[in-house]
Coordinates of all heavy atoms in Angstrom, one line a residue:
E266 N -0.4 -0.7 6.5 CA 0.8 -1.5 6.8 C 1.4 -2.0 5.5 O 2.6 -1.9 5.3 CB 0.5 -2.7 7.7 CG 1.7 -3.6 8.0 CD 1.4 -4.8 8.8 OE1 0.5 -4.6 9.8 OE2 1.9 -5.8 8.6
S267 N 0.6 -2.5 4.6 CA 1.0 -3.1 3.3 C 1.5 -2.0 2.4 O 2.5 -2.2 1.7 CB -0.1 -3.9 2.6 OG -0.6 -4.9 3.4
V268 N 0.9 -0.8 2.4 CA 1.3 0.4 1.6 C 2.7 0.7 2.2 O 3.6 1.0 1.4 CB 0.3 1.5 1.6 CG1 0.9 2.7 1.1 CG2 -0.9 1.1 0.8
R269 N 2.8 0.8 3.5 CA 4.1 1.3 4.1 C 5.2 0.3 3.6 O 6.4 0.7 3.4 CB 4.1 1.3 5.6 CG 3.3 2.5 6.0 CD 3.8 2.9 7.5 NE 3.0 4.0 7.9 CZ 3.1 5.2 7.5 NH1 4.1 5.6 6.7 NH2 2.4 6.1 8.0
E270 N 5.0 -0.9 3.6 CA 6.0 -1.9 3.2 C 6.5 -1.7 1.8 O 7.6 -2.1 1.5 CB 5.5 -3.4 3.4 CG 5.2 -3.8 4.8 CD 4.6 -5.1 5.0 OE1 4.2 -5.7 3.9 OE2 4.3 -5.5 6.0
M271 N 5.6 -1.1 0.9 CA 6.0 -0.8 -0.5 C 6.9 0.5 -0.6 O 7.5 0.7 -1.6 CB 4.8 -0.7 -1.4 CG 4.0 -1.9 -1.5 SD 4.8 -3.3 -2.3 CE 5.0 -2.6 -3.9
L272 N 6.8 1.3 0.4 CA 7.5 2.6 0.3 C 9.0 2.5 0.6 O 9.4 1.7 1.5 CB 6.9 3.6 1.3 CG 5.4 3.9 1.1 CD1 4.9 4.8 2.3 CD2 5.1 4.5 -0.2
T273 N 9.7 3.3 -0.1 CA 11.2 3.3 0.2 C 11.5 4.8 0.7 O 11.9 4.9 1.9 CB 12.0 3.0 -1.0 OG1 11.6 3.8 -2.1 CG2 11.8 1.6 -1.4
D274 N 11.3 5.8 -0.1 CA 11.7 7.1 0.3 C 10.7 7.8 1.1 O 11.0 8.7 1.9 CB 11.8 8.0 -1.0 CG 12.9 7.5 -1.9 OD1 13.8 6.8 -1.4 OD2 12.9 7.7 -3.1
N275 N 9.4 7.3 1.1 CA 8.3 8.0 1.9 C 7.8 7.2 3.1 O 6.7 7.3 3.5 CB 7.1 8.3 0.9 CG 7.5 9.1 -0.3 OD1 8.2 10.0 -0.1 ND2 7.0 8.8 -1.5
A276 N 8.7 6.4 3.7 CA 8.3 5.6 4.8 C 7.7 6.3 6.0 O 6.9 5.7 6.7 CB 9.4 4.7 5.2
N277 N 8.0 7.5 6.2 CA 7.5 8.3 7.3 C 6.3 9.2 7.0 O 5.9 9.9 7.8 CB 8.6 9.1 8.0 CG 9.7 8.2 8.5 OD1 9.4 7.2 9.1 ND2 11.0 8.7 8.4
T278 N 5.9 9.2 5.7 CA 4.8 10.0 5.3 C 3.5 9.5 5.9 O 3.2 8.3 5.9 CB 4.7 9.9 3.7 OG1 5.9 10.3 3.1 CG2 3.5 10.7 3.2
P279 N 2.7 10.5 6.5 CA 1.5 10.0 7.1 C 0.5 9.4 6.0 O 0.5 10.0 4.9 CB 0.8 11.3 7.7 CG 2.0 12.3 7.7 CD 3.0 11.8 6.7
I280 N -0.2 8.4 6.4 CA -1.2 7.8 5.5 C -2.6 7.9 6.1 O -2.8 7.4 7.1 CB -0.8 6.3 5.2 CG1 0.5 6.3 4.5 CG2 -1.9 5.7 4.3 CD1 1.1 4.8 4.3
T281 N -3.4 8.7 5.4 CA -4.8 8.9 5.9 C -5.7 8.3 4.9 O -5.3 7.8 3.8 CB -5.1 10.3 6.0 OG1 -5.1 11.0 4.8 CG2 -4.0 11.1 6.9
D282 N -7.0 8.3 5.1 CA -8.1 7.9 4.3 C -8.0 8.6 3.0 O -8.5 8.2 1.9 CB -9.4 7.9 4.9 CG -9.7 6.8 5.9 OD1 -8.8 5.9 5.9 OD2 -10.6 6.9 6.6
Q283 N -7.5 9.9 3.0 CA -7.5 10.7 1.8 C -6.2 10.6 1.0 O -6.1 11.2 -0.1 CB -7.7 12.2 2.1 CG -9.1 12.6 2.7 CD -9.3 12.0 4.0 OE1 -8.5 12.1 5.0 NE2 -10.5 11.5 4.3
T284 N -5.3 9.8 1.4 CA -4.0 9.6 0.7 C -4.2 8.9 -0.6 O -4.8 7.8 -0.6 CB -3.0 8.8 1.6 OG1 -2.8 9.5 2.9 CG2 -1.7 8.6 0.9
D285 N -3.7 9.5 -1.6 CA -3.7 8.9 -3.0 C -2.4 8.2 -3.1 O -1.3 8.8 -3.1 CB -3.9 9.9 -4.0 CG -3.8 9.4 -5.4 OD1 -3.0 8.5 -5.7 OD2 -4.6 9.9 -6.3
P286 N -2.4 6.8 -3.2 CA -1.1 6.1 -3.2 C -0.2 6.4 -4.4 O 1.0 6.3 -4.4 CB -1.5 4.6 -3.1 CG -3.0 4.6 -3.4 CD -3.5 5.9 -3.2
V287 N -0.8 6.8 -5.5 CA 0.0 7.2 -6.6 C 0.5 8.6 -6.6 O 1.7 8.7 -6.7 CB -0.9 7.0 -8.0 CG1 -0.1 7.4 -9.2 CG2 -1.3 5.5 -8.1
V288 N -0.3 9.5 -6.3 CA 0.1 10.9 -6.3 C 1.0 11.3 -5.1 O 2.0 11.8 -5.2 CB -1.2 11.9 -6.4 CG1 -0.8 13.3 -6.2 CG2 -1.9 11.7 -7.7
H289 N 0.4 10.8 -3.9 CA 1.1 11.2 -2.7 C 2.3 10.4 -2.3 O 3.2 10.7 -1.6 CB 0.1 11.2 -1.5 CG -1.0 12.1 -1.7 ND1 -2.3 11.8 -1.5 CD2 -1.0 13.5 -2.0 CE1 -3.1 12.8 -1.7 NE2 -2.4 13.9 -2.1
L290 N 2.2 9.0 -2.8 CA 3.3 8.2 -2.3 C 4.2 7.6 -3.5 O 5.1 6.9 -3.2 CB 2.7 7.0 -1.6 CG 1.7 7.3 -0.3 CD1 1.1 6.1 0.2 CD2 2.6 8.1 0.7
G291 N 3.8 7.9 -4.7 CA 4.7 7.5 -5.7 C 4.5 6.0 -6.1 O 5.4 5.5 -6.8
L292 N 3.4 5.4 -5.7 CA 3.2 4.0 -6.1 C 2.6 3.9 -7.4 O 2.1 4.9 -7.9 CB 2.4 3.3 -5.0 CG 3.1 3.2 -3.6 CD1 2.2 2.6 -2.6 CD2 4.4 2.5 -3.6
D293 N 2.5 2.7 -8.0 CA 1.8 2.6 -9.3 C 0.8 1.4 -9.3 O 0.7 0.7 -8.3 CB 2.8 2.5 -10.4 CG 3.7 1.3 -10.4 OD1 3.2 0.3 -9.7 OD2 4.8 1.3 -10.9
S294 N 0.2 1.2 -10.4 CA -0.8 0.1 -10.5 C -0.3 -1.2 -10.2 O -1.0 -2.1 -9.5 CB -1.4 0.2 -11.9 OG -2.4 -0.8 -12.0
L295 N 1.0 -1.5 -10.6 CA 1.5 -2.9 -10.3 C 1.7 -3.0 -8.8 O 1.5 -4.1 -8.2 CB 2.9 -2.9 -11.0 CG 3.6 -4.3 -10.7 CD1 2.8 -5.5 -11.1 CD2 5.0 -4.3 -11.4
D296 N 2.1 -1.9 -8.1 CA 2.1 -1.9 -6.6 C 0.8 -2.3 -6.0 O 0.8 -3.1 -5.1 CB 2.6 -0.7 -6.0 CG 4.0 -0.3 -6.5 OD1 4.9 -1.1 -6.5 OD2 4.3 0.9 -6.7
G297 N -0.3 -1.9 -6.6 CA -1.6 -2.2 -6.2 C -1.9 -3.7 -6.2 O -2.5 -4.3 -5.3
V298 N -1.4 -4.3 -7.3 CA -1.6 -5.8 -7.4 C -0.9 -6.4 -6.4 O -1.3 -7.4 -5.8 CB -1.2 -6.2 -8.9 CG1 -1.2 -7.7 -9.0 CG2 -2.1 -5.6 -10.0
L299 N 0.4 -6.0 -6.2 CA 1.3 -6.6 -5.2 C 0.7 -6.5 -3.8 O 0.7 -7.4 -3.0 CB 2.7 -6.1 -5.3 CG 3.5 -6.4 -6.6 CD1 4.8 -5.6 -6.6 CD2 3.7 -7.8 -6.7
I300 N 0.2 -5.3 -3.5 CA -0.5 -5.1 -2.2 C -1.7 -5.9 -2.0 O -1.9 -6.5 -0.9 CB -0.7 -3.5 -2.1 CG1 0.5 -2.8 -1.8 CG2 -1.7 -3.3 -0.9 CD1 0.5 -1.3 -1.8
A301 N -2.5 -6.2 -3.1 CA -3.6 -7.0 -3.0 C -3.2 -8.4 -2.6 O -3.8 -9.0 -1.7 CB -4.4 -7.0 -4.3
A302 N -2.2 -8.9 -3.1 CA -1.6 -10.2 -2.9 C -1.2 -10.3 -1.3 O -1.5 -11.3 -0.6 CB -0.5 -10.6 -3.8
T303 N -0.5 -9.2 -0.9 CA -0.1 -9.1 0.5 C -1.2 -9.2 1.4 O -1.2 -9.8 2.4 CB 0.8 -7.9 0.7 OG1 2.0 -8.0 -0.2 CG2 1.2 -7.8 2.1
I304 N -2.2 -8.4 1.1 CA -3.4 -8.3 2.0 C -4.2 -9.7 2.0 O -4.6 -10.1 3.1 CB -4.4 -7.2 1.5 CG1 -3.8 -5.8 1.7 CG2 -5.8 -7.3 2.1 CD1 -4.4 -4.6 1.0
C305 N -4.2 -10.4 0.9 CA -4.9 -11.7 0.9 C -4.1 -12.6 1.8 O -4.8 -13.3 2.6 CB -4.8 -12.3 -0.5 SG -6.0 -11.6 -1.7
D306 N -2.8 -12.6 1.8 CA -2.0 -13.4 2.7 C -2.2 -13.1 4.1 O -2.4 -14.0 4.9 CB -0.5 -13.3 2.3 CG -0.2 -14.0 1.0 OD1 -1.0 -14.8 0.6 OD2 0.9 -13.7 0.4
K307 N -2.2 -11.7 4.4 CA -2.3 -11.4 5.8 C -3.6 -11.5 6.5 O -3.7 -11.9 7.6 CB -1.9 -9.9 5.9 CG -0.4 -9.6 5.7 CD -0.1 -8.1 5.9 CE 1.4 -7.8 5.6 NZ 1.6 -6.5 5.8
L308 N -4.7 -11.2 5.7 CA -6.1 -11.3 6.2 C -6.7 -12.5 5.9 O -7.9 -12.8 6.4 CB -6.9 -10.1 5.7 CG -6.3 -8.7 6.1 CD1 -7.2 -7.6 5.6 CD2 -6.2 -8.6 7.6
K309 N -6.2 -13.4 5.1 CA -6.8 -14.7 4.8 C -8.2 -14.6 4.1 O -9.1 -15.3 4.5 CB -6.8 -15.6 6.0 CG -5.5 -15.8 6.8 CD -4.5 -16.4 5.9 CE -3.2 -16.6 6.7 NZ -2.0 -16.3 6.0
F310 N -8.3 -13.6 3.2 CA -9.5 -13.7 2.4 C -9.1 -13.3 1.0 O -8.1 -12.8 0.7 CB -10.6 -12.8 3.0 CG -10.5 -11.3 2.6 CD1 -11.1 -10.8 1.6 CD2 -9.8 -10.5 3.5 CE1 -11.1 -9.4 1.3 CE2 -9.8 -9.1 3.2 CZ -10.4 -8.6 2.1
N311 N -9.9 -13.7 0.1 CA -9.6 -13.6 -1.4 C -10.1 -12.4 -2.0 O -11.3 -12.0 -1.9 CB -10.3 -14.8 -2.1 CG -9.7 -16.1 -1.8 OD1 -8.5 -16.3 -1.5 ND2 -10.4 -17.2 -1.7
I312 N -9.2 -11.7 -2.6 CA -9.5 -10.6 -3.4 C -9.5 -11.1 -4.9 O -8.6 -11.8 -5.3 CB -8.4 -9.4 -3.3 CG1 -8.4 -8.9 -1.8 CG2 -8.7 -8.2 -4.3 CD1 -7.2 -8.0 -1.6

């Protein structure tokens, strides 16, 4: 869900366990940091 929220052009791209967020979805390392913060907020545990 958090990865999908970061997507603009690839919002309908299937995301599986094998999906590489950089290669397959065009995200970058900074997006990973932002997603970590989002996950912390949503799941209420500290990364």
